Amino acid sequence: MYPITSEYDYLAQMVPHHEEAVTAARQLQRSERPDMRRLGQSIVTTQTAEIGRMRGWLEQWYPRSPAPSPSVTTMPDLSGLSGDQLDRTFLQYMIPHHMMAIMMSQQVLMHGEAEHAEVAGFARTVRDDQWAEVRLMRRHLVQWFGQQGTPCFPEAPGMPPGRHPGAPGQPTRSR
């Protein structure tokens, strides 16, 4: 995530950010926990619709601007995980992933970067809905894994040790 300097920046960064969340959340179909399967389906349904809305706004309001492309990867490949390892890894990574979306949304709102009322309303919804999901995911970590604190970007299968964005010596954006 880099600073949001315009409505276009917000939308162009949020599309691939949501796409990454949808990809990860689809893996929860394999979870043994009904609560995790429901969370995954909720994220897939909600964020897929939001991606469509954002892409529509980008096409309508910014037709000559570059298409959104991923700038930061924050979720590991969950396809090889199962059971507790799948659920715990998803929760540990999705919490900071959601926090990034919350911060991006708050940035666009606090700095008055939203040029359209629809985007301001959307940013408030993302901020509030994802904050509610963060609280839920934190409760799941405590309830199922006894994990009180939530490490940001813990080492996990699918991501080389110390290779997550923002780790010492690592880029915060891909080029």
Side-chain angles (χ1 to χ4, degrees):
M1 180 184 95
Y2 59 95
I4 302 298
T5 59
S6 69
E7 179 181 87
Y8 167 79
D9 283 345
Y10 175 71
L11 295 171
Q13 286 187 60
M14 194 61 75
V15 167
H17 191 79
H18 269 32
E19 289 171 340
E20 184 178 36
V22 167
T23 298
R26 282 194 174 116
Q27 295 298 316
L28 293 181
Q29 295 170 350
R30 300 180 293 103
S31 176
E32 297 167 8
R33 291 182 170 95
D35 287 345
M36 290 298 285
R37 290 192 304 271
R38 278 191 298 276
L39 174 62
Q41 187 55 55
S42 175
I43 290 170
V44 168
T45 300
T46 301
Q47 293 196 23
T48 298
E50 290 175 347
I51 290 165
R53 192 172 319 132
M54 289 185 289
R55 284 192 179 281
W57 290 333
L58 285 166
E59 289 171 15
Q60 180 182 355
W61 299 327
Y62 306 100
R64 291 184 182 90
S65 297
S69 62
S71 59
V72 174
T73 300
T74 61
M75 295 298 296
D77 179 2
L78 303 173
S79 62
L81 305 181
S82 61
D84 282 352
Q85 192 178 30
L86 170 64
D87 294 348
R88 181 181 220 156
T89 302
F90 178 86
L91 293 169
Q92 288 176 325
Y93 278 85
M94 191 56 73
I95 290 170
H97 189 272
H98 268 24
M99 293 303 295
M100 287 176 68
I102 292 165
M103 289 185 292
M104 290 165 61
S105 297
Q106 191 63 15
Q107 250 187 333
V108 80
L109 292 168
M110 285 181 57
H111 298 294
E113 300 294 347
E115 297 173 33
H116 298 87
E118 299 96 315
V119 174
F122 174 79
R124 281 190 290 278
T125 298
V126 168
R127 178 195 63 200
D128 298 346
D129 290 355
Q130 290 199 17
W131 183 240
E133 286 178 349
V134 164
R135 290 191 306 270
L136 173 68
M137 290 186 285
R138 285 180 174 164
R139 281 195 304 272
H140 288 334
L141 276 175
V142 170
Q143 178 184 0
W144 298 330
F145 305 108
Q147 190 167 338
Q148 295 295 325
T150 304
C152 288
F153 304 110
E155 304 305 335
M159 284 202 140
R163 299 293 295 183
H164 51 79
Q170 296 304 309
T172 55
R173 286 181 29 183
S174 61
R175 307 253 186 254

